[in-house]
Amino acid sequence: MDILFQAVFALYLGATITALVCFFNLNQRLRLMARGLLGTAAVLHTAYLLIRYFAAGHTPVASSHEAVSFFAWSLTMAYLAFRWRYRVKNFAAFVLPLIALLMLVALFSPARLVDLPPAMQSWWLPVHGMIALMANAFLALAFCGGIMYLLQEREIKRKRMGFFSERLPSLEALDNLNQHCLSIGFPLLTLGIITGSLWARQAWGTYWQWDPKEVWSLITWLIYAAMIHQRFTVGWRRRRAAIMAIVGFAAVLFTLWGVNLFLGGVHTYAG
């Protein structure tokens, strides 16, 4: 399995480098090459997750390696699904580096198969874990769109149309991207918290324990809830929405990693 994962990482890295080079020189052949590498990586990554599932006997989201790997796979699938329906110029140049970074973290995380503690031996593991990580994937797309928006806006405000203005979509298109990603990511985030509470009730007899990861999940949810509320009530769009998408994703990352590193709690990964 290790060799397969390393091959998948190499393909993601190759797709990332190709997409970045294409972003600079706008070579159509490189764009097609990046798509081919990403598609191949997605297929092999799916195979890796399936092999790990059968080897471990549970959905591969229990350890740090598994969770980050599944996050990277979810982001890949979310990007491919998004690209199938919408066309966002050079979106890959911002999404693929994040996928490669996640894979790098997974590569250096312990990949050994772990035995699940009794509380995690539940059918809620695949339900909650997969929903939560898919939510993170769509929120990551909004984060990438937010960065693109701020770069494009900065160049427009300087009235020096050049590098980014030629390579990035219009501000309206990027704002719509933000809205579309949130319209999927936020409901999934909400469902992830609900399924987590139901799982907690089954495992520990209570829906909520104010565990650090539960608290930060709630904080993350409140950030996105406030963003959506302000967007549709007082018109928080464009720059404010882009900044909030970046802030919200920072909370997502802290919930995923920071809590385990600095706060601990009952939700710490098994390995």
Side-chain angles (χ1 to χ4, degrees), residues 1 3-12 36-52 69 73 76-77 80 103:
M1 283 193 296
I3 295 177
L4 177 57
F5 187 82
Q6 291 168 8
V8 173
F9 171 71
L11 286 167
Y12 278 127
L37 289 170
L38 181 63
T40 305
V43 171
L44 292 182
H45 199 171
T46 302
Y48 172 79
L49 292 175
L50 288 173
I51 292 171
R52 194 169 181 95
S69 172
W73 178 84
T76 301
M77 293 304 166
L80 292 174
M103 290 295 291

Side-chain angles (χ1 to χ4, degrees), residues 69-97:
S69 172
F70 196 92
F71 186 3
W73 178 84
S74 299
L75 181 52
T76 301
M77 293 304 166
Y79 167 76
L80 292 174
F82 190 89
R83 191 190 174 282
W84 175 73
R85 185 171 181 181
Y86 304 100
R87 291 292 182 269
V88 179
K89 185 165 61 174
N90 287 318
F91 198 22
F94 290 82
V95 177
L96 266 59

Side-chain angles (χ1 to χ4, degrees), residues 54-235:
F54 288 111
H58 59 77
T59 307
V61 294
S63 68
S64 177
H65 167 83
E66 291 175 346
V68 179
S69 172
F70 196 92
F71 186 3
W73 178 84
S74 299
L75 181 52
T76 301
M77 293 304 166
Y79 167 76
L80 292 174
F82 190 89
R83 191 190 174 282
W84 175 73
R85 185 171 181 181
Y86 304 100
R87 291 292 182 269
V88 179
K89 185 165 61 174
N90 287 318
F91 198 22
F94 290 82
V95 177
L96 266 59
L98 181 56
I99 295 174
L101 180 60
L102 290 171
M103 290 295 291
L104 183 64
V105 173
L107 184 67
F108 286 99
S109 299
R112 64 183 181 276
L113 298 175
V114 297
D115 295 326
L116 295 179
M120 295 186 71
Q121 296 175 13
S122 168
W123 62 272
W124 282 111
L125 173 64
V127 175
H128 169 67
M130 294 171 68
I131 289 174
L133 290 170
M134 283 302 300
N136 291 349
F138 281 99
L139 298 177
L141 292 182
F143 161 78
C144 293
I147 292 176
M148 294 170 72
Y149 185 96
L150 294 180
L151 290 173
Q152 181 72 294
E153 183 195 51
R154 181 183 180 186
E155 191 158 278
I156 291 174
K157 283 186 175 181
R158 288 183 173 184
K159 298 181 180 180
R160 294 174 58 184
M161 309 300 284
F163 184 81
F164 288 116
S165 62
E166 293 178 351
R167 290 165 173 79
L168 297 180
S170 67
L171 294 180
E172 181 178 0
L174 290 170
D175 189 57
N176 288 335
L177 181 154
N178 181 297
Q179 181 175 336
H180 291 317
C181 293
L182 288 177
S183 68
I184 301 174
F186 182 70
L188 286 174
L189 179 64
T190 304
L191 188 57
I193 292 176
I194 292 173
T195 55
S197 296
L198 293 173
W199 187 7
R201 177 68 174 83
Q202 180 192 73
W204 298 298
T206 178
Y207 291 104
W208 196 265
Q209 299 186 91
W210 296 104
D211 177 78
K213 182 151 287 195
E214 292 177 342
V215 172
W216 273 95
S217 295
L218 179 59
I219 290 172
T220 302
W221 185 88
L222 289 172
I223 290 173
Y224 284 105
M227 177 181 173
I228 291 175
H229 176 267
Q230 295 296 92
R231 186 181 187 98
F232 290 103
T233 56
V234 297

